[in-house]
């Protein structure tokens, strides 16, 4: 808005400076009759004064932009910070039978509409859309929310005796942990993830078997192992893996299609308390020419710690974090810091909404 007012001010100044020329172009040498209003409009109105006023207001608004943005960001961050509290109260009321789902929806819609502003005509409909999505999630996943997400990724060059070519692949090890919370005990948290390795479509069964033997995927919940790919390997069927639908059993699907060997895991994790820690250890491979990594969330998460370490000589050439999408532009809320050219850390203390959190691009030596 400030820039627009400054631009209008400059235009008005131009009109003021060229008012005589404009009037002569319209009226010639006339000064009375129908041309009098034209002279009043372009010469006597005081365009220069209007120009100075608009430019001054525009500059003031431009200077205040950061301040106003900070206030608005704080308000939205405050609202996000209270989403979990509101969710907790409504879930408990629904669980104890003191409030029907429809009543709970009405309460949240009203709260959201007030937050959007009583003069905002779209506040009610926007809030209803969000609440409907929220209540659907409560019904589908038991009302879990996630916090204290930590991911540490270490990429290294392959040893000389590796089963894959050193000039085409790198090793990939990742440890992820986070805490899921719920308003009540004995609920099922639905965990899902997918990972893949790009390979030549002509890869032999022997190579696929070796890769499946070397990759690792373990999941622990509350300190107890709930899944290990090691225990699943003996039942793998290579013909099924190469089939159109892939090999699937007990929530695990392994497929090799269009040169991508993928492993997807879907688990129902029983949470006996109101919260539990989930830890995932993964070891795999990536193609050397795969130089982009996207950190993305499928559920809202409060608190982020992300670490990426690349082999010596590799250089991170781009990093992007989506802090503005999470209700704040303050660097302290979510920031990326380099530790040399091949190490990056991303930290966030506030809420990260579902979507892409960070994008990292690197190049090899």
């Amino acid at each position: 808005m400030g820039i627009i007012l400054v631009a209008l001010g400059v235009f008005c100044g131009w009109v003021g400076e060229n008012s005589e020329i404009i009037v002569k172009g319209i009226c010639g040498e006339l000064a009375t009759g129908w041309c009098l209003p034209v002279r009043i409009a372009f010469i006597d109105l005081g365009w220069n004064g209007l120009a100075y006023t608009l430019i001054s207001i525009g500059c003031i608004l431009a200077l205040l932009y950061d301040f106003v943005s900070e206030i608005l960001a704080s308000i939205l961050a405050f609202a996000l910070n209270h989403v979990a509290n509101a969710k907790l109260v409504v879930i408990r009321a629904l669980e104890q039978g003191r409030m029907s789902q429809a009543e709970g929806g009405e309460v949240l819609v009203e709260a959201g509409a007030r937050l959007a502003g009583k003069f905002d005509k779209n506040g009610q409909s926007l809030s209803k859309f969000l609440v409907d999505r929220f209540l659907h999630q409560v019904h589908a996943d038991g009302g879990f929310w996630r916090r204290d997400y930590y991911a540490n990724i270490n990429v290294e060059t392959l040893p000389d005796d590796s089963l894959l070519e050193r000039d085409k692949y790198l090793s990939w090890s990742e440890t992820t942990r986070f805490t899921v919370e719920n308003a009540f005990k004995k609920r099922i948290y639905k965990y899902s993830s997918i990972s893949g390795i790009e390979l030549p479509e002509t890869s032999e069964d022997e190579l696929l078997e070796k890769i499946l033997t070397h990759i690792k995927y373990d999941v622990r919940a509350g300190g107890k192992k709930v899944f290990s790919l090691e225990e699943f390997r003996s039942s793998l069927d290579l013909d099924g893996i190469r089939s159109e639908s892939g090999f699937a059993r007990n929530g695990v699907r392994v497929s090799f299609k269009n040169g991508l060997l993928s492993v997807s895991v879907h688990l129902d994790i029983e949470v006996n308390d109101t919260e539990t820690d989930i830890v995932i250890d993964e070891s795999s491979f990536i193609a050397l020419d795969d130089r982009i990594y996207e950190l993305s969330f499928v559920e809202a998460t409060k608190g982020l710690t992300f670490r990426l370490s690349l082999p010596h000589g590799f250089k991170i050439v781009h990093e992007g974090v989506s802090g503005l999408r999470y209700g704040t532009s303050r660097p302290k809320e979510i920031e990326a810091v380099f530790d040399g050219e091949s190490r990056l850390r991303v930290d966030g203390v506030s809420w990260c909404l579902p979507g892409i959190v960070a994008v990292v691009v690197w190049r090899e030596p």
Side-chain angles (χ1 to χ4, degrees):
M1 179 59 73
I3 295 176
I4 294 175
L5 290 177
V6 170
L8 288 175
V10 172
F11 173 75
C12 291
W14 177 84
V15 172
E17 292 294 330
N18 297 275
S19 56
E20 292 284 352
I21 298 175
I22 294 173
V23 170
K24 287 184 178 181
I26 297 175
C27 304
E29 298 297 331
L30 295 176
T32 58
W34 65 269
C35 198
L36 184 59
V38 176
R39 292 187 60 84
I40 293 175
F42 282 93
I43 298 178
D44 301 328
L45 186 60
W47 285 92
N48 288 331
L50 179 60
Y52 296 144
T53 301
L54 290 175
I55 292 174
S56 299
I57 295 175
C59 290
I60 292 172
L61 287 178
L63 291 173
L64 289 177
Y65 174 78
D66 289 339
F67 176 73
V68 174
S69 297
E70 186 72 15
I71 293 177
L72 294 176
S74 299
I75 293 173
L76 186 52
F78 173 83
L80 288 173
N81 194 44
H82 285 73
V83 166
N85 293 334
K87 186 175 182 179
L88 182 65
V89 171
V90 172
I91 291 173
R92 283 178 174 168
L94 292 172
E95 177 69 9
Q96 296 171 9
R98 293 184 287 109
M99 181 185 296
S100 68
Q101 180 170 325
E103 291 172 334
E106 291 175 2
V107 170
L108 291 178
V109 167
E110 181 63 24
R114 287 179 179 272
L115 180 64
K118 62 181 180 180
F119 300 110
D120 182 3
K121 295 181 179 179
N122 295 320
Q124 190 81 7
S125 57
L126 173 62
S127 180
K128 187 175 187 309
F129 167 75
L130 296 175
V131 168
D132 287 344
R133 293 287 301 271
F134 156 69
L135 290 177
H136 173 74
Q137 179 189 354
V138 170
H139 177 73
D141 67 7
F144 285 98
W145 58 90
R146 192 168 68 172
R147 62 174 173 82
D148 300 333
Y149 183 95
Y150 170 87
N152 185 28
I153 298 174
N154 189 32
V155 183
E156 297 179 329
T157 55
L158 296 175
D160 293 333
D161 59 350
S162 173
L163 59 97
L164 291 174
E165 299 172 80
R166 296 183 75 249
D167 60 342
K168 293 184 179 180
Y169 293 91
L170 299 167
S171 69
W172 176 284
S173 61
E174 178 176 355
T175 297
T176 305
R177 66 172 180 265
F178 54 85
T179 299
V180 292
E181 289 191 42
N182 197 294
F184 30 78
K185 301 179 180 180
K186 294 189 179 300
R187 290 286 168 166
I188 301 298
Y189 175 73
K190 295 186 176 297
Y191 169 83
S192 64
S193 75
I194 183 170
S195 58
I197 308 170
E198 294 183 5
L199 298 168
E201 293 191 39
T202 56
S203 297
E204 300 290 337
D205 287 353
E206 182 180 359
L207 177 61
L208 296 181
E209 286 182 338
K210 287 183 178 180
I211 293 175
L212 290 171
T213 301
H214 281 75
I215 62 176
K216 172 185 177 184
Y217 199 98
D218 296 331
V219 181
R220 300 191 306 275
K224 297 180 180 179
K225 182 173 63 177
V226 295
F227 174 79
S228 176
L229 188 62
E230 179 68 30
E231 301 172 353
F232 192 79
R233 273 188 254 267
S234 60
S235 62
L236 290 176
D237 176 19
L238 287 176
D239 290 335
I241 291 174
R242 289 182 178 275
S243 67
E244 185 68 22
S245 59
F247 177 83
R249 182 176 296 175
N250 298 332
V252 181
R253 181 176 179 270
V254 183
S255 65
F256 181 63
K257 185 179 180 182
N258 298 326
L260 179 64
L261 177 62
S262 63
V263 179
S264 61
V265 180
H266 303 275
L267 304 174
D268 289 342
I269 300 176
E270 184 176 352
V271 180
N272 294 318
D273 207 340
T274 56
E275 67 176 48
T276 192
D277 295 328
I278 296 177
V279 180
I280 303 100
D281 291 312
E282 179 180 0
S283 297
S284 186
F285 306 93
I286 62 168
L288 187 63
D289 57 2
D290 186 1
R291 303 166 189 164
I292 300 177
Y293 176 76
E294 291 183 357
L295 175 65
S296 60
F297 286 165
V298 295
E299 53 189 312
T301 304
K302 185 173 185 180
L304 164 67
T305 302
F306 171 74
R307 302 288 184 268
L308 173 65
S309 176
L310 297 172
H312 178 72
F314 282 63
K315 182 179 180 180
I316 297 174
V317 294
H318 173 78
E319 50 79 23
V321 295
S322 305
L324 289 173
R325 297 181 58 197
Y326 310 135
T328 179
S329 60
R330 290 173 291 182
K332 68 179 183 179
E333 294 290 351
I334 182 167
E335 60 179 342
V337 179
F338 288 96
D339 181 13
E341 294 183 332
S342 60
R343 296 175 183 271
L344 173 72
R345 76 173 190 265
V346 178
D347 296 303
V349 298
S350 189
W351 284 94
C352 291
L353 301 182
I356 297 177
V357 178
V359 177
V360 185
V361 182
W362 62 84
R363 68 176 177 222
E364 59 185 292

